[in-house]
Amino acid sequence: MKVLVVGGAGYIGSHMVKALHADGADVITLDDLSSGHADAVLHGQVVRGSIADTALLQRVFSAHRFDAVMHFASFIQVGESVRDPAPYYRNNVLNTQNLLEAMLAHGVKRFVFSSTAAVFGEPAYTPIDEKHPLAPINPYGWSKLMVEQMLQDYRRAYGMASVCLRYFNAAGADPDGELGERHEPETHLIPLVLQAAAGRRPHITIFGDDYDTLDGTCVRDYVHVTDLCSAHLLALRRLTAGDAGGRFNLGNGEGFSVQQVIATARQVTGRDIPVRVESRREGDPARLVADAGEARRILGWAPRHADLAAIIRDAWAWERRSSP
Ligand SMILES: NC(=O)c1ccc[n+]([C@@H]2O[C@H](COP(=O)([O-])OP(=O)(O)OC[C@H]3O[C@@H](n4cnc5c(N)ncnc54)[C@H](O)[C@@H]3O)[C@@H](O)[C@H]2O)c1
Ligand SMILES: O=c1ccn([C@@H]2O[C@H](COP(=O)(O)OP(=O)(O)O[C@H]3O[C@H](CO)[C@@H](O)[C@H](O)[C@H]3O)[C@@H](O)[C@H]2O)c(=O)[nH]1
């Protein structure tokens, strides 16, 4: 099995490269290193370049016969996408179409796509299942939904099989301690809280405590990065068996508020974590919690690191390695 991992130098992609290698796959990473790190790719060749570059795509697909493509490359910040949507539509939609066209031109017809809970927008009900209305409230979510639609049309018209995996909040780090989250700048809650615990930041800022939730802060469903990787392997197995694919929500089905995440991080680290409350961040829904029943039933997915404290413990081990 030869797999192209686009965005394999990033947070989730680098864990996926490791998981694919452990599963026996031959992996090639394509990454422009706009936010990833070459040294995070522990296995296989790294091609440095962008999916914006159609000539490069042509060369990569001519040089290798891929059985499947996993696509992690995109811009990922919800708030930034509201302030400056253009790069989001360009990179996440137009550049993804380049990739899909290169796949079609070379007869590669299995695709696993990193989608997001942001395709649902402000939930009409929770937990959110796959029947929930699709109504993004930020350009990031729209850019992912547009690709989901493209994939539905490509499946029907060109027979391209695809699985869209809608992650809720990816978190945690490689349990072996080899990989972790290294976004620069970091915008995600758990690594920021842990940087504050380590004294690398003076405090953690809570974006809004006036939401309609248990303590006024936003609620999210944190899912361990290695559990996301296991879902990808299961999706790949289904596609390889001849399945046309589908869309699956990935989360643990339990929501934690920003305050609860900070409290758990205090317990795990034994450190004081100073907090400041500021106004809401644009584009944030109050509560996102997954119903991942379909992934369990159809893919056979069974998350192994669902406990929030365990997720934070792995992230803390990584933070301690980065800032001893
Ligand atoms: N982190 C989360 O909580 C989360 C949640 C839901 C969905 N997702 C999705 O999962 C995917 C991976 O997220 P992540 O947190 O690992 O992000 P990341 O920024 O760490 O990784 C993205 C990788 O893609 C690369 N990249 C970006 N544009 C590229 C391009 N045009 N050509 C080649 N490489 C390019 C970057 O250099 C980086 O290595 C993204 O598509 C994101 O939207 C993430
Ligand atoms: O310094 C911070 C950072 C975040 N938050 C809050 O913490 C929650 C989680 O935020 P963050 O970790 O930035 O994740 P999300 O904005 O929920 O977005 C993530 O999860 C989405 C799916 O739920 C994905 O689509 C995105 O790519 C991914 O960044 C939100 O309520 C934020 O407002 C703070 O209060 N302070």
Side-chain angles (χ1 to χ4, degrees):
M1 172 72 57
K2 192 169 203 175
V3 181
L4 178 66
V5 179
V6 183
Y11 168 45
I12 306 170
S14 61
H15 288 78
M16 194 67 236
V17 169
K18 179 173 174 173
L20 281 163
H21 176 80
D23 199 53
D26 185 3
V27 189
I28 307 283
T29 290
L30 172 62
D31 199 299
D32 65 0
L33 304 184
S34 54
S35 67
H37 309 270
D39 64 1
V41 184
L42 301 182
H43 306 280
Q45 185 193 341
V46 182
V47 178
R48 183 174 179 171
S50 172
I51 50 171
D53 183 346
T54 51
L56 173 70
L57 287 172
Q58 165 67 24
R59 286 200 299 280
V60 171
F61 279 91
S62 302
H64 303 274
R65 280 183 60 85
F66 295 113
D67 297 292
V69 174
M70 289 189 179
H71 181 35
F72 297 88
S74 77
F75 294 150
I76 66 166
Q77 293 176 33
V78 171
E80 183 182 66
S81 80
V82 176
R83 290 191 301 277
D84 190 13
Y88 279 75
Y89 288 112
R90 176 162 298 282
N91 199 30
N92 298 4
V93 183
L94 301 180
N95 291 345
T96 295
Q97 194 176 9
N98 289 341
L99 175 64
L100 294 175
E101 288 186 3
M103 288 177 62
L104 282 181
H106 292 84
V108 182
K109 294 205 166 177
R110 297 186 195 101
F111 190 72
V112 186
F113 177 59
S114 300
S115 189
T116 168
V119 297
F120 297 110
E122 195 63 66
Y125 58 84
T126 54
I128 300 172
D129 58 16
E130 287 76 6
K131 294 188 188 74
H132 187 283
L134 297 164
I137 59 167
N138 51 61
Y140 168 76
W142 276 113
S143 74
K144 293 288 181 170
L145 185 55
M146 286 175 185
V147 173
E148 286 200 5
Q149 182 62 46
M150 255 197 278
L151 290 172
Q152 206 170 302
D153 296 335
Y154 276 45
R155 181 185 301 134
R156 206 174 13 237
Y158 309 127
M160 181 183 284
S162 60
V163 173
C164 297
L165 295 175
R166 293 158 171 166
Y167 322 150
F168 281 59
N169 287 57
D174 172 35
D176 302 334
E178 292 188 304
L179 297 166
E181 195 162 358
R182 273 204 275 165
H183 293 123
E184 286 159 20
E186 188 54 75
T187 61
H188 290 129
L189 180 65
I190 290 178
L192 289 175
V193 166
L194 296 178
Q195 287 175 14
R200 288 212 282 151
R201 288 176 186 272
H203 59 265
I204 180 74
T205 303
I206 295 179
F207 296 134
D209 64 355
D210 56 349
Y211 287 94
D212 185 16
T213 60
L214 69 167
D215 58 23
T217 64
C218 284
V219 169
R220 294 288 182 274
D221 184 339
Y222 295 90
V223 53
H224 199 291
V225 61
T226 59
D227 285 331
L228 294 179
C229 292
S230 69
H232 281 72
L233 291 179
L234 292 164
L236 182 59
R237 225 156 270 161
R238 264 190 91 75
L239 295 179
T240 309
D243 193 79
R247 317 182 199 194
F248 300 96
N249 296 353
L250 297 180
N252 289 309
E254 202 179 348
F256 294 93
S257 72
V258 175
Q259 292 280 21
Q260 288 174 321
V261 168
I262 296 168
T264 309
R266 286 194 180 114
Q267 281 166 13
V268 167
T269 63
R271 304 284 181 93
D272 182 34
I273 302 174
V275 161
R276 262 198 209 172
V277 179
E278 286 185 11
S279 52
R280 293 181 178 197
R281 189 175 67 177
E282 274 181 296
D284 275 346
R287 185 180 162 81
L288 290 172
V289 178
D291 177 342
E294 289 275 287
R296 288 172 183 271
R297 274 191 299 279
I298 296 175
L299 296 179
W301 186 56
R304 294 178 53 202
H305 309 269
D307 176 49
L308 180 66
I311 291 173
I312 293 180
R313 214 171 290 125
D314 283 342
W316 178 236
W318 173 252
E319 166 61 32
R320 299 296 291 146
R321 241 197 62 170
S322 327
S323 63

